[in-house]
Amino acid sequence: MEQNQINPAELDRLFSELAEKNWATSHSLVPSELCQQLAAEIFALDNAGTMQPASIGHGSSKTHLQDVRGDKTYWLEEATSSPVQNSARALLSQLQTELNRHFYLGLKRFEAHFALYPPGAGYDKHVDNHRGESARRITFILYLNTNWQPDHGGELSFFSPEQEDLRIARIEPRLGTLVLFRSEIFPHQVEKSLHPRLSLTGWFRNDVL
Ligand code: OGA
Ligand code: MN
């Protein structure tokens, strides 16, 4: 399979933005053809009944709380990866290498899942990684919604670390938009989506399995 090469100029721009604000977006780093293929896989997995309701918390406190978080997920695993999933994993792996080169983050691996928010679902305000609690360092979210329209909802609201009720950005989940942020810093929430809302989401981590 042909490797998707990351555009070095766009990567530089994205990393400057990340260095400056601790979060950043790119609309062109990930080829839209790959995004369309990923979206098609999510619909196929969902039609096959393979997407599972997402859970919150760990171990015995792990629970399904659809009012808090209404998405269905499918975790990408090396052993069961399709060619399209492999392309995405290869790209994330390149991104991990570049993040380490630029920011000395000591990232060792990433975890990634497809997410599908059915109509009416969202995800309440949360932080992905409470300081010191886990090894998630950088969150990535790649949106996969062709023809997203403002009245579809499902934006990512991004809040100030110092002032949790101050919204600093509202990101539209359009096909090909990639968001990166420091996992332990930013409260964020997924606004209720009125249409099925697709993404590839995950974390670059500094621990080993
Ligand atoms: C998450 C999350 C945001 C989004 O999965 O932890 O916050 O926009 N996702 O999908
Ligand atoms: Mn999150």
Side-chain angles (χ1 to χ4, degrees):
M1 162 144 318
E2 199 181 303
Q3 274 266 334
N4 283 298
Q5 282 306 324
I6 288 183
N7 176 319
E10 176 57 10
L11 191 72
D12 277 353
R13 193 208 56 73
L14 177 68
F15 281 2
S16 304
E17 196 185 332
L18 188 60
E20 187 186 325
K21 301 188 303 189
N22 288 319
W23 68 277
T25 57
S26 171
H27 305 287
S28 62
L29 201 73
V30 185
S32 50
E33 194 192 345
L34 176 59
C35 295
Q36 278 154 6
Q37 291 168 334
L38 289 166
E41 286 220 5
I42 297 179
F43 282 127
L45 287 165
D46 190 43
N47 286 335
T50 313
M51 306 283 294
Q52 296 294 325
S55 53
I56 302 164
H58 299 282
S60 56
S61 71
K62 207 165 179 175
T63 173
H64 303 299
L65 289 172
Q66 270 176 20
D67 292 344
V68 178
R69 173 174 185 187
D71 58 331
K72 296 189 274 183
T73 61
Y74 175 89
W75 288 88
L76 276 63
E77 306 291 349
E78 203 171 347
T80 53
S81 245
S82 67
V84 172
Q85 289 171 34
N86 275 331
S87 297
R89 292 173 54 86
L91 200 142
L92 288 166
S93 177
Q94 278 182 66
L95 197 52
Q96 177 180 309
T97 303
E98 297 296 336
L99 281 164
N100 280 336
R101 215 200 305 276
H102 282 74
F103 298 107
Y104 306 100
L105 288 166
L107 304 171
K108 304 279 197 314
R109 64 187 178 106
F110 60 84
E111 49 186 352
H113 64 71
F114 290 141
L116 187 153
Y117 289 74
Y123 190 164
D124 287 356
K125 196 187 289 183
H126 65 280
V127 177
D128 284 345
N129 183 20
H130 290 279
R131 206 172 283 274
E133 269 182 21
S134 100
R136 292 173 173 176
R137 301 297 309 280
I138 300 281
T139 301
F140 62 84
I141 309 167
L142 173 66
Y143 295 111
L144 304 172
N145 304 294
T146 0
N147 297 323
W148 181 87
Q149 302 294 323
D151 65 357
H152 292 182
E155 297 90 345
L156 173 66
S157 287
F158 221 67
F159 298 89
S160 157
E162 292 81 26
Q163 215 180 318
E164 254 206 44
D165 45 6
L166 179 67
R167 181 159 52 205
I168 55 175
R170 197 174 166 98
I171 298 160
E172 299 174 344
R174 290 179 190 278
L175 185 105
T177 295
L178 174 72
V179 186
L180 298 180
F181 60 91
R182 298 253 182 189
S183 304
E184 76 276 20
I185 295 183
F186 295 99
H188 55 281
Q189 79 186 23
V190 178
E191 302 301 335
K192 194 180 275 189
S193 181
L194 300 179
H195 278 246
R197 175 195 194 267
L198 313 182
S199 63
L200 172 63
T201 301
W203 298 274
F204 292 105
R205 305 178 57 113
N206 65 359
D207 60 350
V208 287
L209 261 181

